Amino acid sequence: MISITHPLRGALAALCAASTLAIAAPAGAAGYPDHPISLVVGYPAGGSVDLTARLFGEELAKRLGQSVVIENAGGAGGTIGAQRVARAAPDGYTLLLGATNEMVIARMINSAVKYDGAKDFTALGVIASQPMLLAASKQSGVKNAADYLQKLRAAAPGTFNYGSSGVGTSLHLAGEMVNQSTATRAEHVPYRGVSPLVTDLMSGQLDFGMLVLSSGLPQVRGGNIVAVGVTQKQRSPVAPDIPALAETPGFEAVDVSVSFSLYGPAGLPEPVASKLRAALADTLKSEQFRTKMQEAGGVLAQVGVDPVAYQAEEARKYGALVKAARIEAQ
């Protein structure tokens, strides 16, 4: 026997169910968080993204009154961790400390990346940024940005090279921005990680290298490599003695950095998102956190920066660099 539900009875049941959900959702959000939060990092422990996540996770835990557990899901340039969060339940218990590579660049150059950094996440706020450092080997004879420009403009294309941590990374594209902005041509040499790059730079096998500032600074301080300049318009408070490349005529258009932001899955309930945004804003006002981030090489974002607009501008900037470098999606 087939049971047929009266249309009116079905409509009333649906209305009651919707009302129950409407009442339950705010109640659940009001109790958030009531158990530990996972903060996913798409890289192994020890790097700049991981360190930012650990420092930020401590602050977030204080403000939410709940443990924040860092989970390293490294691999594929940060995209494995990002994919995990994109697929997670939108309840605020699985968050991502996302960087420029996986949230902005990856989908432009890798057709295997199925998530959309803008559509498949709830952008909660920008935490910090870090400039990149154009460094020279001591054997190159380059001591500053003016020397770099003079040598490359006088040389035939392909005479000099620069290394980065891989094709399509923010470091690679920062190097292409230098090429484009100065109308010079240093050939790109991709490395698997920073360590072999720095080794070749120190030995003179590599002329120049593009490094995240925190990675290159110890070698600069140790006198092993030469700091040509940082890639943001202003000098970094972490290393105010290193000029911005843009200070030197010919480099004025160079302005790019790596950023670190907080994300949840798409569809995060607004009460939960608001609570996380408020905790992030409060953290950015902490002088203690600011000092720790500067020691780690990062510069805190200003309170109130719109993360959606910020990511859109990053996508525009890096998209132009991908096009200029003629990197085809693989």
Side-chain angles (χ1 to χ4, degrees):
M1 180 177 180
I2 299 173
S3 174
I4 300 175
T5 302
H6 191 282
L8 181 57
R9 184 182 298 169
L12 286 171
L15 181 60
C16 289
S19 300
T20 302
L21 286 173
I23 293 168
Y32 172 82
D34 62 9
H35 60 269
I37 295 167
S38 293
L39 182 56
V40 177
V41 178
Y43 301 87
S48 57
V49 186
D50 175 70
L51 182 54
T52 300
R54 291 180 188 280
L55 293 174
F56 177 71
E58 289 177 8
E59 299 295 326
L60 192 62
K62 290 177 193 174
R63 285 158 178 79
L64 295 179
Q66 191 57 254
S67 298
V68 174
V69 180
I70 307 302
E71 295 191 16
N72 297 92
T79 60
I80 290 175
Q83 180 70 67
R84 176 177 165 183
V85 175
R87 291 176 174 172
D91 55 12
Y93 289 99
T94 305
L95 305 175
L96 176 73
L97 197 299
T100 306
N101 279 351
E102 66 270 23
M103 298 309 293
V104 176
I105 302 171
R107 199 161 183 258
M108 298 177 184
I109 64 170
N110 186 355
S111 58
V113 175
K114 300 305 180 186
Y115 65 82
D116 186 314
K119 296 178 181 178
D120 295 331
F121 297 85
T122 300
L124 296 165
V126 184
I127 299 170
S129 66
Q130 188 171 159
M132 287 163 274
L133 172 71
L134 177 60
S137 70
K138 295 172 77 172
Q139 293 85 340
S140 71
V142 168
K143 296 195 175 3
N144 51 48
D147 285 350
Y148 178 94
L149 211 52
Q150 183 179 17
K151 278 188 176 288
L152 267 81
R153 283 181 172 171
T159 303
F160 293 99
N161 55 37
Y162 79 94
S164 84
S165 58
V167 174
T169 61
S170 52
L171 296 166
H172 173 201
L173 296 176
E176 291 303 316
M177 177 177 270
V178 169
N179 281 342
Q180 184 181 357
S181 302
T182 59
T184 60
R185 186 74 212 167
E187 295 300 322
H188 178 235
V189 180
Y191 282 78
R192 290 192 174 186
V194 172
S195 183
L197 186 162
V198 171
T199 297
D200 281 0
L201 196 58
M202 289 169 61
S203 69
Q205 301 243 39
L206 185 67
D207 301 312
F208 306 103
M210 191 64 77
L211 307 162
V212 175
L213 179 59
S214 59
S215 299
L217 201 52
Q219 300 302 335
V220 171
R221 298 285 191 242
N224 299 316
I225 59 177
V226 178
V228 179
V230 295
T231 59
Q232 281 182 324
K233 282 281 189 186
Q234 294 81 29
R235 296 189 184 202
S236 170
V238 178
D241 54 319
I242 299 178
L245 289 170
E247 294 176 26
T248 300
F251 288 89
E252 294 93 343
V254 176
D255 183 21
V256 69
S257 63
V258 178
S259 61
F260 311 105
S261 299
L262 181 65
Y263 298 88
L268 204 61
E270 186 52 38
V272 171
S274 294
K275 201 163 189 176
L276 288 165
R277 290 188 184 109
L280 192 157
D282 192 45
T283 298
L284 294 180
K285 296 172 187 174
S286 166
E287 284 303 319
Q288 184 180 22
F289 182 61
R290 182 179 299 277
T291 300
K292 287 181 179 179
M293 282 301 300
Q294 285 190 2
E295 289 172 353
V299 178
L300 290 194
Q302 293 182 347
V303 177
V305 171
D306 180 350
V308 175
Y310 183 90
Q311 186 168 332
E313 174 57 22
E314 290 286 278
R316 184 202 64 75
K317 186 181 294 185
Y318 277 105
L321 291 174
V322 167
K323 186 176 180 180
R326 298 177 181 175
I327 302 172
E328 298 291 335
Q330 299 299 313

